[in-house]
Amino acid sequence: MKLAHLILLLLDLHLSSSGHTPASGLPQEDLVEQKCLLQKYTHLSCDKVFCQPWQKCIDGTCVCKLPYQCPKNGTPVCATDGRNYPTYCHQKSFECLHPEIKFSNNGTCTDQGKFNVSLIYGSTDTEGIVQVKLVDQNEKMFICKNSWSVAEANVACFDLGFPLGVRDTQARFNIPVNLHINTTECLHVRCRGIETTLAECTFTRRRTKTPHGLAGVVCYTQDADFPTSQSFQCVNGKRIPQEKACNGINDCGDQSDELCCTGCRGKAFICKSGVCIPNQYRCNGEVDCITGEDESNCKEDRQHNIHEGVARPDQGGETEMETEETEMLTPGMDTERKRIKSLLPKLSCGVKRNTHTRRKRVVGGQPAEVGDYPWQVAIKDGQRITCGGIYIGGCWILTAAHCVRRSKLHHYQIWTALLDWLKPNSELAIQAVNRIIIHENYNGATYQNDIALIEMKKRPGKKECELSRSVPACVPWSPYLFQPNDTCIISGWGREKDNQRVYSLRWGEVNLIGNCSQFYPGRYYEKEMQCAGTSDGSIDACKGDSGGPLVCNDINNVTYIWGIVSWGENCGKPEFPGVYTRVANYFDWISYHVGRSLVSQHNV
Ligand code: ARG
């Protein structure tokens, strides 16, 4: 007893003197963002993550698609109801609506028996050594310890009817000594962690010379609470040790421990949107961060992550040398999931046709060239251009509510592909207005909800609005796509600082500004508004720019309409940045009016 104490003490001393942070040391860096936690984000929050291909995003939540909305091609799969489904997507979509019916096997149903998971040698039915019976095998088999991590253990627990997933991936169980298990024959399993049954995971058998430990699990139940006071409260009600939050591993089972992070510990990667993902998801050919940076700047030598079977984050162990042969028993459905994802309809927006890159330094704005801002439109009221607007696809223009009046509908013209309204260029096209939708909560006194939609008239005999020179800007579906200090672009025909008239389209770079209440106490509404400007105020929108775009480019240079020029105290004063309508806050309002398919880039 005393000796053990001494050793621990020495170990502690050693760790602290060498400057390492002990895994369970006292001052744990808190990487969790508390304000974000109030939103109760989970794996179903499309503000933070992509939905599954059998789901779509409605009002910030991934909800079930109907099976008929699945891509048609694929091969049949069998479910636990004994029925065949045309594709994996059809089955998962059906399961999403009826969770008791799970995946059984790839291919049609046969009477070969059912997939089954069970626990054995535990002292309660919430724990034990994991046994599986694959569909085409007669005997139950064990799973090797070294292929077992939180992802697999969660799935096993989900499968066994424990919706909160795993509590411990390892524990001591009383395997009878007289039992002779051939532990060189255990199965290896790999899951993504989002499956609802182990049957969806990849099973392989590797015959090795050295015997393996067997995988065991303790599933989480409310009464098996962690005793520690330092625990993280998951959205699903589970408690996990605080230091497991923001480590890239889905310890909660609903991912809520990885969605509000200011940084990540261990072998995890932080997305700009504040989400921690396992390092091995970086450059694996599938976008995980909603902002896309996990798949950008992938050097050739990192591309190896696209192959299955890279080193796992939470276990060392097994080297390829030990393996004598690997036999694939079930292929797993992860590749099929990715294939289905690639078949979903894709929206084309935010990508310019011509891509001459000419980026000089901007002071007070630069004149634009044809094709530079193909989403920019001008709103002409009688003889004058009074406001800007943004083309978002179909016949739809986004603008500020304070720019338009429904009663003046017939006075308005939408000028697209315009550069200089004194010397109209040949690309210019003029559209009449069919309908104006002003936000129902627009407040002309406070400029809250300063957003409106204009539907252009179609040409006689035409089914669509044909704007050959225009390109829609993408509508941001999540408030986490861009952050303070990101550099974005404003453009318009508005006045110069000295109130001088401007006839040609000008643009300039501005930075998104956080904590804007400090500049406009009592007048700035964080959720609905976004400030942007430069530290010296040299670039700003001004009178006449209203309704026009504040656009930001993502890591792949896709352009999003992040803000609509709304208001500001004076123009170009550093102490008074420009205020823009925060478009991401109105994604549902916009998609409700223009139709989901027109603006839903992901999560359709
Ligand atoms: N409300 C103005 C307009 O009608 C836009 C003002 C923007 N001002 C600013 N400093 N950013 O055009």
Side-chain angles (χ1 to χ4, degrees):
M1 196 62 168
K2 265 211 173 113
L3 190 66
H5 214 94
L6 190 69
I7 291 171
L8 273 173
L9 203 75
L10 285 172
L11 201 70
D12 247 333
L13 278 172
H14 167 74
L15 284 169
S16 44
S17 62
S18 61
H20 290 289
T21 332
S24 55
L26 290 169
Q28 267 291 332
E29 204 190 338
D30 191 12
L31 302 171
V32 179
E33 204 195 313
Q34 296 297 328
K35 211 175 117 204
C36 167
L37 286 184
L38 299 176
Q39 303 290 319
K40 300 209 171 300
Y41 291 122
T42 69
H43 64 304
L44 297 179
S45 302
C46 26
D47 277 359
K48 286 282 188 176
V49 295
F50 293 118
C51 297
Q52 296 302 324
W54 44 86
Q55 298 169 329
K56 58 182 172 180
C57 171
I58 309 266
D59 293 346
T61 306
C62 301
V63 300
C64 308
K65 257 183 204 173
L66 296 175
Y68 81 88
Q69 293 168 308
C70 279
K72 296 282 167 293
N73 46 19
T75 53
V77 304
C78 177
T80 52
D81 58 352
R83 280 177 50 201
N84 294 316
Y85 291 78
T87 70
Y88 181 53
C89 179
H90 287 76
Q91 185 268 317
K92 290 303 282 183
S93 150
F94 191 80
E95 174 183 341
C96 187
L97 300 158
H98 306 273
E100 68 285 359
I101 292 160
K102 295 181 178 183
F103 175 85
S104 174
N105 60 278
N106 203 357
T108 51
C109 297
T110 59
D111 33 45
Q112 270 185 313
K114 291 193 157 57
F115 177 86
N116 177 44
V117 199
S118 52
L119 303 179
I120 186 169
Y121 308 131
S123 46
T124 64
D125 55 7
T126 63
E127 58 169 49
I129 298 286
V130 184
Q131 275 192 315
V132 291
K133 199 198 74 64
L134 303 185
V135 164
D136 54 356
Q137 310 266 322
N138 296 318
E139 310 144 47
K140 290 186 171 183
M141 288 182 280
F142 292 105
I143 292 174
C144 314
K145 201 179 201 160
N146 62 355
S147 77
W148 196 244
S149 72
V150 172
E152 289 78 21
N154 267 331
V155 176
C157 290
F158 298 154
D159 205 348
L160 288 160
F162 300 101
L164 300 183
V166 65
R167 182 177 189 267
D168 291 308
T169 48
Q170 305 286 338
R172 292 209 162 272
F173 299 110
N174 302 316
I175 306 175
V177 269
N178 54 352
L179 188 85
H180 292 289
I181 309 168
N182 184 358
T183 58
T184 57
E185 281 243 322
C186 56
L187 300 182
H188 285 240
V189 64
R190 170 148 309 157
C191 307
R192 175 90 183 182
I194 50 178
E195 300 85 349
T196 52
T197 161
L198 280 180
E200 290 169 81
C201 303
T202 306
F203 282 93
T204 51
R205 176 158 41 200
R206 295 179 207 167
R207 287 180 212 280
T208 58
K209 285 179 194 140
T210 46
H212 290 287
L214 298 181
V217 71
V218 182
C219 292
Y220 193 96
T221 50
Q222 277 315 351
D223 42 289
D225 235 1
F226 279 95
T228 144
S229 57
Q230 277 284 39
S231 62
F232 176 90
Q233 177 80 56
C234 306
V235 171
N236 60 14
K238 187 174 177 178
R239 283 171 183 280
I240 60 164
Q242 183 73 49
E243 64 272 14
K244 290 193 174 179
C246 300
N247 63 354
I249 297 164
N250 177 10
D251 296 282
C252 281
D254 64 359
Q255 221 185 327
S256 55
D257 53 329
E258 304 301 322
L259 300 179
C260 291
C261 302
T262 54
C264 309
R265 42 183 132 245
K267 296 177 186 151
F269 178 79
I270 179 92
C271 300
K272 257 181 74 187
S273 51
V275 175
C276 291
I277 61 168
N279 251 348
Q280 80 266 25
Y281 289 4
R282 217 178 112 55
C283 300
N284 69 344
E286 179 180 19
V287 184
D288 295 286
C289 300
I290 54 165
T291 38
E293 68 275 18
D294 58 314
E295 294 298 323
S296 85
N297 291 322
C298 295
K299 291 195 228 94
E300 291 305 316
D301 63 295
R302 285 226 50 153
Q303 285 289 333
H304 71 274
N305 266 356
I306 52 175
H307 303 299
E308 302 276 322
V310 268
R312 319 227 14 161
D314 42 356
Q315 71 223 352
E318 197 195 23
T319 54
E320 290 302 312
M321 308 302 280
E322 287 181 18
T323 311
E324 285 182 346
E325 61 180 283
T326 303
E327 181 192 352
M328 174 85 73
L329 297 176
T330 68
M333 300 312 283
D334 205 48
T335 2
E336 182 61 8
R337 180 185 60 78
K338 285 183 206 150
R339 198 187 64 90
I340 293 163
K341 223 168 147 179
S342 73
L343 293 174
L344 297 176
K346 282 200 186 64
L347 199 68
S348 102
C349 62
V351 180
K352 291 180 206 178
R353 295 214 179 83
N354 63 338
T355 45
H356 65 261
T357 32
R358 163 208 49 83
R359 286 282 176 267
K360 286 184 219 151
R361 218 184 120 45
V362 209
V363 179
Q366 287 273 319
E369 288 173 20
V370 175
D372 276 351
Y373 299 98
W375 33 81
Q376 171 91 51
V377 307
I379 300 175
K380 201 155 176 271
D381 179 356
Q383 287 315 299
R384 296 189 315 125
I385 285 181
T386 50
C387 271
I390 309 104
Y391 180 54
I392 56 165
C395 294
W396 293 97
I397 303 295
L398 199 57
T399 188
H402 81 259
C403 281
V404 284
R405 293 227 172 98
R406 282 240 288 284
S407 57
K408 288 176 92 180
L409 192 137
H410 302 288
H411 299 266
Y412 296 128
Q413 282 181 344
I414 305 299
W415 286 30
T416 64
L418 171 74
L419 278 184
D420 188 320
W421 54 288
L422 286 185
K423 304 186 285 278
N425 45 310
S426 57
E427 295 87 358
L428 169 73
I430 300 171
Q431 331 281 325
V433 172
N434 188 42
R435 183 155 56 124
I436 294 174
I437 304 168
I438 294 173
H439 197 283
E440 51 283 9
N441 298 124
Y442 165 60
N443 183 330
T446 63
Y447 273 39
Q448 284 177 278
N449 307 303
D450 191 11
I451 188 169
L453 282 162
I454 299 176
E455 188 185 29
M456 297 176 286
K457 264 198 184 124
K458 298 178 181 91
R459 306 243 180 245
K462 289 276 157 61
K463 275 208 171 112
E464 316 278 345
C465 283
E466 284 158 17
L467 302 173
S468 55
R469 298 284 170 170
S470 293
V471 172
C474 302
V475 181
W477 74 94
S478 162
Y480 295 98
L481 293 182
F482 299 96
Q483 310 282 345
N485 298 323
D486 281 352
T487 299
C488 301
I489 296 174
I490 52 174
S491 51
W493 290 272
R495 304 243 172 164
E496 279 292 346
K497 236 197 260 190
D498 45 15
N499 207 22
Q500 221 169 330
R501 271 178 178 277
V502 167
Y503 300 97
S504 61
L505 181 64
R506 299 180 74 81
W507 66 276
E509 287 183 332
V510 290
N511 301 319
L512 302 184
I513 298 172
N515 295 326
C516 204
S517 298
Q518 59 175 312
F519 302 108
Y520 295 112
R523 298 160 69 189
Y524 180 74
Y525 298 84
E526 182 75 40
K527 202 168 164 267
E528 306 159 15
M529 299 172 182
Q530 168 78 65
C531 282
T534 54
S535 51
D536 60 352
S538 57
I539 310 224
D540 192 11
C542 202
K543 197 169 159 28
D545 286 322
S546 272
L550 163 71
V551 293
C552 308
N553 292 331
D554 75 2
I555 194 122
N556 298 310
N557 243 337
V558 175
T559 303
Y560 286 85
I561 173 65
W562 192 248
I564 302 168
V565 179
S566 179
W567 60 278
E569 197 73 48
N570 293 308
C571 301
K573 294 258 158 59
E575 63 275 28
F576 294 120
V579 187
Y580 300 78
T581 310
R582 197 184 279 267
V583 176
N585 185 51
Y586 299 93
F587 180 82
D588 291 300
W589 182 82
I590 296 168
S591 61
Y592 171 76
H593 288 290
V594 309
R596 222 156 261 287
S597 58
L598 192 72
V599 289
S600 300
Q601 213 178 348
H602 302 281
N603 306 323
V604 204

